[in-house]
């Protein structure tokens, strides 16, 4: 698990597109999923990373051969309306063949550690209610202060009826519904 650079963006794009197509088929319109492209997503991420004022932090998970197999992006809360929450997990995706191996947890904790070191407090996590894998990791209709990463007090909040964190590309999210 490490901070991502421009050289990682083709892998980040592949993870995003492939994971969305596997996870959200039957949940979001098929035309939308088919319209996602590796090139388009890589360009969107490049624009973000090249923008000095972009407030995000992008991490990647690599296989032993150096292939990007997962990523997560974090940053300040994007006006959620939940008082006291200063940080947000914008997006977290792991290729289906690499899921259930602890990579998502490792990505989450690495980002949480960085945000905590930067002075952020509690973190929001939004999970699409139609995403049973994501909801299985963040159960309940609404959880306050569910857990802490190692070495700290950065906490997260999960909105059960919330929209997918970040949508394709991680920023900004689709319209949210309050639980």
């Amino acid at each position: 698990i490490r901070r991502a650079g421009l050289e990682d963006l083709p892998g980040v794009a592949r993870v995003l597109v492939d994971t969305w197509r596997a996870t959200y088929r039957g949940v979001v319109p098929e035309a939308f999923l088919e319209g996602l492209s590796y090139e388009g997503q890589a360009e969107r991420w490049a624009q973000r990373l090249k923008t000095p004022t972009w407030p995000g932090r992008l991490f990647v998970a690599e296989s032993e051969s150096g292939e990007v197999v997962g990523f997560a992006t974090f940053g300040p809360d994007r006006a959620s309306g939940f008082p006291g929450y200063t940080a947000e997990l914008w997006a977290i995706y792991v290729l289906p063949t690499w899921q259930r191996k602890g990579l998502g947890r490792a990505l989450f904790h690495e980002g949480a550690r960085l945000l905590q070191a930067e002075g952020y407090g509690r973190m929001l996590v939004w999970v699409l209610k139609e995403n049973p894998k994501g909801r299985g990791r963040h159960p309940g209709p609404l959880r306050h202060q569910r857990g802490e990463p190692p070495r700290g007090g950065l906490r997260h909040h999960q909105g059960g009826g919330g929209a997918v964190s970040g949508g394709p590309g991680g920023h900004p999210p689709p319209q949210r519904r309050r639980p």
Side-chain angles (χ1 to χ4, degrees), residues 138-173:
H138 306 285
L142 195 60
R143 284 277 185 167
H144 289 275
Q145 301 176 5
R146 183 180 176 279
E148 291 185 39
R151 288 186 264 144
L154 190 71
R155 300 178 182 273
H156 70 274
H157 171 95
Q158 179 264 329
V164 173
S165 276
H171 197 270

Side-chain angles (χ1 to χ4, degrees), residues 31-120:
F32 176 82
L33 294 175
E34 293 308 315
L36 295 174
S37 73
Y38 298 149
E39 297 80 16
Q41 289 302 319
E43 180 56 35
R44 288 178 66 168
W45 281 105
Q47 289 173 358
R48 287 183 183 103
L49 290 185
K50 289 177 182 178
T51 302
T53 57
W54 184 66
R57 292 108 178 115
L58 178 62
F59 291 88
V60 293
E62 289 183 305
S63 69
E64 289 180 4
S65 66
E67 173 190 14
V68 173
V69 296
F71 77 90
T73 185
F74 303 81
D77 173 39
R78 297 173 290 179
S80 68
F82 289 100
Y85 290 92
T86 57
E88 185 174 339
L89 170 62
W90 291 346
I92 187 166
Y93 300 107
V94 176
L95 289 173
T97 56
W98 286 87
Q99 292 175 6
R100 316 228 15 104
K101 299 178 188 308
L103 293 176
R105 181 183 312 270
L107 284 162
F108 177 86
H109 287 308
E110 192 63 28
R113 275 192 282 275
L114 176 66
L115 290 173
Q116 186 176 12
E118 292 176 358
Y120 284 89

Side-chain angles (χ1 to χ4, degrees), residues 20 60 131:
W20 264 71
V60 293
N131 178 356

